[in-house]
Amino acid sequence: MARKNRNPVGKNVDPEAQKKKTRTLTLKSSDGQEFSISESAAVLSIAIENMVEDDCAGGVIPLPLVDGGTLARVITYLNKHAEDGASDEEKRKFDEEFVSGMEMGVLFDVVLAANYLDIRGLLREVRRRIADRMKNKSVEWVRKTFHIESDFTPEEEEQMKKEFAWAWEGVDSDVDD
Amino acid sequence: MEFRELPQEILIEIFSRLPLKSVGKCRCLAKLWRKLLSTPHFIKSHLTHQTHQENLILNTPFDTIYSRSTIKGNTIWKTFPGLDLCEWTAILGSCGGLVLMVLESFERFLVNPGTLQLIKVPKPPLGLKRKESFSMHGFGYDSSGDDYKVVTLSYYNAGNEHRSDDTFVDVYSVKRGVWKRVDGSPYDHRVLQLSPGMSERKLSKLYMFRKTFSPGAFVNGAIHWLARSRKLVGSPSVIAAFNLADEVFDEIPAPSGVDVEMFVFNKVVVLGGCLCLVDTRENGPMDVWIMKETEGSLRDMVINEPRAATIDGCTFMESLISPESKTRTLVNKKRRKCRYVGESL
């Protein structure tokens, strides 16, 4: 069994890493779309790395929880981060642009995929972006967006507003997203 | 538009990246969320994601205390309700978003400038009488016991009838709400004795400094104060460090090049996460010694910002080096040269 190598990118002397660059895997989305990706990029996902190591992959790795559109986005991210010679600054810029255009619904799809595939960097980036978008939004907006139902009575709700009065100023309108 | 439902652990991770006000609102989402967003684990995770620049506590020339927060570029100033803070005297320490303050009445309060919450810290049961003694304070976090601690060092004034040179150390556990007396300090903390042979005029000037002198600087799990060694010949000036986990003292030697006679005019502060010694005597550029975490001594640096005399030490040091600025300009006073110091400061 291959030695566990959590960060194969950039280790130019490792023959195993060289092999990973040339080997390709096929990822299959929930809606049956197939994507080719180099092994070195794919194993940035800890979940895929484990599947490859346990050799349960066969020729095609099925990802029943990720749809084609989302998987295409995730693969773009993985390819950039596995790219030879991409500096940290370049990757940071890429991350910034990668998430900045996404609508809230897309961010949710990507955060679920990143969580399922265990891609730490992407997960961190998307969580931060979602948090940015929900700053200064009303409680009703947050409840609706995240499917949270209030179990407070109207009296309790009033009491909470008093208790957390410091939090109830400067709320934006809920129009965007 | 309907979005997919995110699992609880992802939501907690997202919420821990929100500004404080948004967290307050999210506690009002539902009973479960009120509980989940109030656990010590969540609070700690929230603090580690914050850049500590959202809320600041400031005093104006009128000695009033405000909490400042910024929403979309607008600064909001708020006073603390239910307490006449016009009578506050000094900030005694700050850590984890909380600030320890003392009023003119010598009452001590822990305040949260974000939520405007206050906790009164009771008097230490073994505390010395105020008229006969002097106390220094410190405030910090003990990660091993997951507890915030207030520490006081107190000693009798010179010429006291008790004839005791001891420095008593009392530690208050915020979690348990109790004071306890621990072993006394092996160092000499008497600020007036720190500079031998000082003139009357200097002494009176020093007296004015004294009340802002006493706060210890909390960094690396320990609270730091100026002190003199009792063990070594000539009682050299040192920085005494009280470790909050095991509640014992250690020391850092004074930087070479510091004016020993004037050591007492220095102030121990935390800048950019590093312990620093600042010479507070002059207007204009001032000497700053900075300790890197890996080093056991302080390095000589000078900051080229004018001193803002009306602003308290804690705040004015923060304002010297903006947390947003990527580079920091420091000036070496002797060489009159600028140099840029990166994030590693």
Side-chain angles (χ1 to χ4, degrees), chain B residues 8-239:
Chain B
Q8 205 179 79
E9 68 268 17
I10 295 187
L11 282 187
I12 292 177
E13 285 287 342
I14 291 170
F15 291 173
S16 74
R17 284 160 173 80
L18 288 171
L20 189 66
K21 272 177 201 296
S22 304
V23 173
K25 272 180 285 179
C26 287
R27 283 181 184 165
C28 306
L29 287 169
K31 285 174 185 162
L32 174 70
W33 285 100
R34 184 188 173 152
K35 210 160 111 191
L36 289 173
L37 303 186
S38 304
T39 61
H41 177 78
F42 177 82
I43 291 167
K44 214 181 286 175
S45 142
H46 184 253
L47 271 173
T48 55
H49 288 132
Q50 296 303 304
T51 45
H52 300 286
Q53 46 180 287
E54 201 193 356
N55 284 285
L56 282 175
I57 195 163
L58 285 172
N59 66 318
T60 70
F62 307 106
D63 269 14
T64 318
I65 202 151
Y66 294 104
S67 170
R68 191 189 82 165
S69 56
T70 309
I71 296 170
K72 293 208 147 191
N74 293 318
T75 302
I76 293 174
W77 298 86
K78 295 188 76 176
T79 49
F80 286 82
L83 187 66
D84 183 10
L85 287 166
C86 286
E87 306 216 318
W88 76 283
T89 310
I91 290 172
L92 300 179
S94 160
C95 159
L98 302 174
V99 180
L100 179 68
M101 307 187 339
V102 63
L103 308 191
E104 205 126 45
S105 58
F106 280 83
E107 286 175 298
R108 283 165 280 232
F109 284 89
L110 267 180
V111 305
N112 182 333
T115 65
L116 299 179
Q117 284 168 311
L118 299 160
I119 302 174
K120 188 173 172 177
V121 178
K123 279 185 188 163
L126 296 175
L128 308 182
K129 280 186 187 157
R130 250 189 355 253
K131 278 183 186 159
E132 307 175 345
S133 66
F134 182 69
S135 298
M136 306 167 93
H137 292 75
F139 176 60
Y141 177 70
D142 165 19
S143 56
S144 72
D146 185 27
D147 195 3
Y148 286 97
K149 288 177 176 174
V150 177
V151 180
T152 67
L153 309 182
S154 46
Y155 51 81
Y156 288 110
N157 290 333
N160 70 83
E161 61 195 48
H162 304 276
R163 297 181 194 284
S164 166
D165 285 339
D166 294 346
T167 299
F168 303 98
V169 183
D170 293 294
V171 180
Y172 181 72
S173 152
V174 176
K175 197 187 203 171
R176 289 180 294 133
V178 288
W179 281 100
K180 74 169 171 186
R181 174 150 291 182
V182 299
D183 291 343
S185 169
Y187 297 94
D188 187 351
H189 295 271
R190 287 154 211 265
V191 279
L192 294 178
Q193 291 175 7
L194 282 173
S195 297
M198 195 179 273
S199 71
E200 275 297 312
R201 195 177 60 83
K202 277 179 185 158
L203 274 177
S204 72
K205 195 176 170 193
L206 176 61
Y207 184 78
M208 310 228 306
F209 273 77
R210 203 169 76 156
K211 69 177 180 183
T212 52
F213 243 45
S214 38
F218 174 73
V219 66
N220 302 338
I223 302 175
H224 302 75
W225 290 276
L226 296 178
R228 288 173 77 90
S229 170
R230 285 188 199 270
K231 281 178 296 189
L232 299 171
V233 183
S235 312
S237 299
V238 294
I239 293 170

Side-chain angles (χ1 to χ4, degrees), chain A residues 22 44 51 69 93 109 124 129 156 166:
Chain A
T22 47
L44 294 179
M51 285 187 235
K93 247 192 195 143
D109 289 337
R124 204 166 41 231
R129 181 57 57 153
E156 282 173 330
W166 50 268

Side-chain angles (χ1 to χ4, degrees), chain B residues 247-316:
Chain B
E247 298 179 342
V248 292
F249 279 92
D250 197 358
E251 70 184 49
I252 296 163
S256 59
V258 68
D259 185 346
V260 182
E261 291 280 303
M262 295 294 126
F263 192 60
V264 68
F265 285 109
N266 284 286
K267 194 162 175 156
V268 199
V269 293
V270 178
L271 264 175
C274 297
L275 185 70
C276 297
L277 196 61
V278 183
D279 186 332
T280 56
R281 275 173 304 162
E282 295 172 56
N283 289 308
M286 54 190 166
D287 293 324
V288 177
W289 285 264
I290 298 159
M291 192 178 83
K292 286 196 162 184
E293 209 174 326
T294 47
E295 290 175 23
S297 63
L298 296 159
R299 291 185 309 142
D300 178 15
M301 289 275 165
V302 180
I303 288 192
N304 70 335
E305 294 264 342
R307 192 167 118 231
T310 52
I311 301 178
D312 176 83
C314 296
T315 317
F316 106 78

Side-chain angles (χ1 to χ4, degrees), chain A residues 42-87:
Chain A
V43 296
L44 294 179
S45 148
I46 308 292
I48 294 177
E49 187 192 30
N50 289 340
M51 285 187 235
V52 172
E53 276 181 5
D54 298 347
D55 218 18
C56 62
V60 178
I61 301 177
L63 302 172
L65 295 181
V66 187
D67 67 77
T70 307
L71 189 53
R73 288 192 174 86
V74 170
I75 286 173
T76 309
Y77 173 90
L78 292 177
N79 282 335
K80 182 70 196 180
H81 281 257
E83 200 177 289
D84 275 335
S87 67

